[in-house]
Amino acid sequence: MERKMVQKEPEELVDPILDYPGYDRTETTVGIWGHPLHAMTVAFPVALTFCTFGADALYWWSGELFWARAAIWAAGTAFLFGLAAGATGTAELLLVSGIRIRAPAWTHFVIAVMLLSILGANWGYRLQGYEEAVLPYGILLSGFAVIVVMVTGWHGGKLVFDHRLGTSKGN
């Protein structure tokens, strides 16, 4: 006896998260007059992470003590400003249901916490002797931090530009 195969029409996939209460609520709650504090504070640790790597590379190239001193200041300031950016980002993640429900927001959060760990380790390593700390481990930590800041920045940018998280919907 021959059996006939019956093909079913594929059903349209539905994302169950779309029906979550508060899914559309993505405007910032941690801000000043509608401007998100996380977006304002995140630029500093990003720029200072690149500055630390640049100062390390210039110290390696020139041997000038100035660049090793500049690197410890940049590393410490990147870490401290990173803590401020992390606090505002964490508050935003936990307080806004439309952000909290999305998996990419948690990915960004985990990578950013890893970045803070690297920034703290980089600064802490240099506190024992900033000139000796640059080569080889200081510049390796700085280079790794640059890679991680690019990855977390890309994820954060995707959240803002693709998912419109933390942005104002207008009047």
Side-chain angles (χ1 to χ4, degrees):
M1 185 156 133
E2 188 175 312
R3 254 182 117 124
K4 286 188 171 182
M5 297 294 287
V6 179
Q7 288 186 342
K8 291 184 178 181
E9 289 293 318
E11 294 181 25
E12 190 173 323
L13 297 176
V14 178
D15 189 354
I17 294 175
L18 294 175
D19 296 330
Y20 184 79
Y23 176 80
D24 291 330
R25 192 175 149 254
T26 60
E27 292 187 26
T28 186
T29 58
V30 183
I32 300 172
W33 297 300
H35 297 280
L37 285 175
H38 182 64
M40 288 190 271
T41 57
V42 77
F44 296 103
V46 169
L48 288 163
T49 300
F50 281 90
C51 289
T52 305
F53 182 68
D56 283 346
L58 287 169
Y59 174 75
W60 185 21
W61 178 66
S62 70
E64 289 288 329
L65 184 61
F66 168 80
W67 293 115
R69 193 176 307 119
I72 190 173
W73 280 97
T77 311
F79 176 66
L80 295 174
F81 273 105
L83 289 176
T88 58
T90 300
E92 198 78 66
L93 177 71
L94 297 177
L95 293 174
V96 181
S97 60
I99 296 174
R100 189 174 56 243
I101 191 65
R102 288 173 165 85
W106 289 97
T107 304
H108 174 67
F109 173 78
V110 169
I111 298 169
V113 169
M114 185 175 74
L115 174 63
L116 274 177
S117 302
I118 295 166
L119 293 176
N122 196 7
W123 184 41
Y125 180 68
R126 294 165 191 270
L127 290 175
Q128 301 301 320
Y130 59 91
E131 187 176 6
E132 299 83 23
V134 174
L135 295 173
Y137 299 113
I139 197 166
L140 288 173
L141 281 169
S142 297
F144 188 53
V146 164
I147 292 168
V148 174
V149 84
M150 288 191 294
V151 172
T152 193
W154 183 81
H155 278 282
K158 293 285 285 178
L159 290 170
V160 171
F161 298 116
D162 292 352
H163 297 283
R164 306 292 297 163
L165 300 186
T167 60
S168 175
K169 303 284 193 247
N171 293 334

